[in-house]
């Protein structure tokens, strides 16, 4: 499993209980160093918009409360494309994000807040190559998931 935007590691331990192997990616060098010192997981300091992993490396990827910290929608879309690239066929991408509202805007004064719009997330993920997009509201935000389908199987089925 790839944890995108691990931050100080608030969700890392929970992910370790769910997956046999977790690789945590964090942009902040300080957070990455601290997380590596506290954890037995693989921790990589890097940019989620240019993932430092080979194609088809992971069976799943998770981004919790990090996409809205990217500076632009274009950067978010790069993360979607990169996540698709590093997932194996059949792999799933899961994310949880907060709503765009006054409270969240106030909380983010002085930091980046580019909210994910639930109305167009399916189109944005589809443009990155994902299919089977699911969206579900939760208290405080919403979650979504999508799958990297094995294009070869789809193409074969269409041409049969």
């Amino acid at each position: 499993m790839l944890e995108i935007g691990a931050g100080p590691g608030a969700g890392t331990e929970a992910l370790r209980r769910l997956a046999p192997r977790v690789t945590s990616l964090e942009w902040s060098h300080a957070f990455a160093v601290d997380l590596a010192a506290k954890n037995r997981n693989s921790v990589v300091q890097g940019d989620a918009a240019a993932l430092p992993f080979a194609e088809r490396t992971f069976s799943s990827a998770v981004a919790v409360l990090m996409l809205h910290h990217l500076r632009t929608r274009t950067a978010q879309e790069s993360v979607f494309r990169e996540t698709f690239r590093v997932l194996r066929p059949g792999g799933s991408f899961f994310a949880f994000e907060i709503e765009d509202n006054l409270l969240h805007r106030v909380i983010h004064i002085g930091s980046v807040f580019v909210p994910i719009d639930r109305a167009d997330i399916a189109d944005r993920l589809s443009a990155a190559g994902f299919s089977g997009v699911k969206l579900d509201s939760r208290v405080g935000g919403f979650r979504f998931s999508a799958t990297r389908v094995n294009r070869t199987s789809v193409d074969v089925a269409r041409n049969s």
Side-chain angles (χ1 to χ4, degrees), residues 30-52:
F31 278 160
V33 168
D34 288 347
L35 186 58
K38 290 189 272 186
N39 243 292
R40 291 172 286 163
N41 288 340
S42 173
V43 178
V44 176
Q45 193 274 321
D47 184 352
L51 291 172

Side-chain angles (χ1 to χ4, degrees), residues 63-68 95-99 116 140-144:
V64 177
L65 299 174
M66 68 76 58
L67 294 167
H68 67 267
F96 182 80
E97 277 298 323
I98 55 178
E99 299 288 349
I116 299 290
F142 60 98
R143 66 182 181 182
F144 55 89

